[in-house]
Amino acid sequence: MVFTKAYARINQVGVGDGVTIAGRRLEVVAVVEGTSIGGAGVLVDRADLDRFGGPAPTGVLVAAKDPANLLAAHDAVRAAAGEGTEVDVLADRRDDVRDVVDLLFALAAAMLGLTLLIAVVGVGTTAALSVVERTKESGVLRALGFSRFALGSTTVAESALHGVLGGVAGLVIGVPHAWLGVLALGVDTPPSVPVPLLALMTASLVALTALSGLLPARKAAKASPVAAMRVE
C-alpha cells in the first residue's frame, strides 16, 4: 500500500507498518508527499485487490507526458477498458481544482475589499465625530500657536493610527487562525506566510484610513479660535 503523507498522519502509519483490510494484512511500502494520489489518499496494488475479491475497476485516470497525445491516450484507454468504464483525464481534474481555488481566492478578495471599505468608513466617521467633540480643544490649540497644518496633521495621524492598530491586530489574530484552518482541513503543506502581500495589504489599510481622515482634518484646521472658544 502507498499512503499520502496527510492520510498517513491521520491513520498514524508509516513505511513498514501493517494495515488490516478485510481480514488481510498489507504493508505500507511508501508514503508520498501531498494529499492525494490521483484523487485518492491510499493506493492499493491491483493484485492485492484481486486477493480480496474486490470489484473490477470502474474508472481509469489518464495522464500523458505530451499534451498533444492526451486525446489519443484517452481513446486508447477507453477502447481497452470498455464502454462501461469511466475514463478521467488528470489534467481536467487539475483544472477543476484550479477553478475552485481561483473562486475561493476571488471570494476572499471580495471579503477583504468589503472589510477595507467598512474600515475606511468607520475610521472616517470616528474622526469626524472626534473633530466635532473637540472643537473647543482645537480652538485652544490654535490660540496657543498651532498652525492649521499641524492641527490637520494630528487628525490624519490619529486616523492612520487606527489603521496601524487594526492591521497589527489582524495579523496577530488572522495568521495563526488561518494556519490552524489549513491543518484542520488535513492539507499537508509546509508553513508559508506571504510576507510581502501581507505587508502591502497592511500598508494599504494604513494609507486608506489616513485618507479617510483628510476631510475631518480639513474641518478641524478651519476652526476659528474665537468661534471655537464660544462652543459649550
Side-chain angles (χ1 to χ4, degrees), residues 116-182:
L116 288 176
L117 178 61
I118 294 174
V120 170
V121 173
V123 171
T125 303
T126 302
L129 292 175
S130 177
V131 168
V132 173
E133 293 172 352
R134 295 185 302 182
T135 302
K136 189 172 183 177
E137 288 80 357
S138 298
V140 172
L141 292 175
R142 291 281 289 122
L144 292 176
F146 262 61
S147 65
R148 295 180 182 271
F149 177 79
L151 194 57
S153 299
T154 302
T155 304
V156 173
E158 290 178 355
S159 300
L161 183 59
H162 283 87
V164 173
L165 294 177
V168 172
L171 292 175
V172 172
I173 297 174
V175 172
H177 278 72
W179 182 239
L180 289 175
V182 171

Side-chain angles (χ1 to χ4, degrees), residues 177-214:
H177 278 72
W179 182 239
L180 289 175
V182 171
L183 294 179
L185 293 174
V187 178
D188 184 34
T189 56
S192 176
V193 178
V195 176
L197 180 59
L198 292 178
L200 176 62
M201 296 305 300
T202 303
S204 300
L205 176 62
V206 175
L208 289 175
T209 52
L211 289 175
S212 67
L214 288 179

Side-chain angles (χ1 to χ4, degrees), residues 4 12 15 43 74 83 94 107 129 154 163 171 189 229:
T4 63
Q12 299 181 350
V15 177
L43 181 65
H74 182 279
E83 294 296 330
R94 288 174 178 170
L107 292 175
L129 292 175
T154 302
L171 292 175
T189 56
M229 293 294 289

Side-chain angles (χ1 to χ4, degrees), residues 33-123:
E33 295 289 341
T35 58
S36 66
I37 307 172
V42 180
L43 181 65
V44 181
D45 186 80
R46 179 61 197 173
D48 292 327
L49 290 178
D50 291 339
R51 288 194 295 118
F52 295 152
T58 58
V60 179
L61 188 64
V62 179
K65 292 183 179 180
D66 186 0
N69 297 329
L70 185 58
L71 183 59
H74 182 279
D75 294 338
V77 170
R78 177 170 294 279
E83 294 296 330
T85 303
E86 181 182 357
V87 180
D88 290 333
V89 179
L90 184 58
D92 292 341
R93 287 198 177 184
R94 288 174 178 170
D95 291 340
D96 293 339
V97 173
R98 189 179 296 110
D99 292 341
V100 173
V101 173
D102 291 342
L103 178 60
L104 293 177
F105 271 113
L107 292 175
M111 294 180 62
L112 182 60
L114 181 60
T115 303
L116 288 176
L117 178 61
I118 294 174
V120 170
V121 173
V123 171

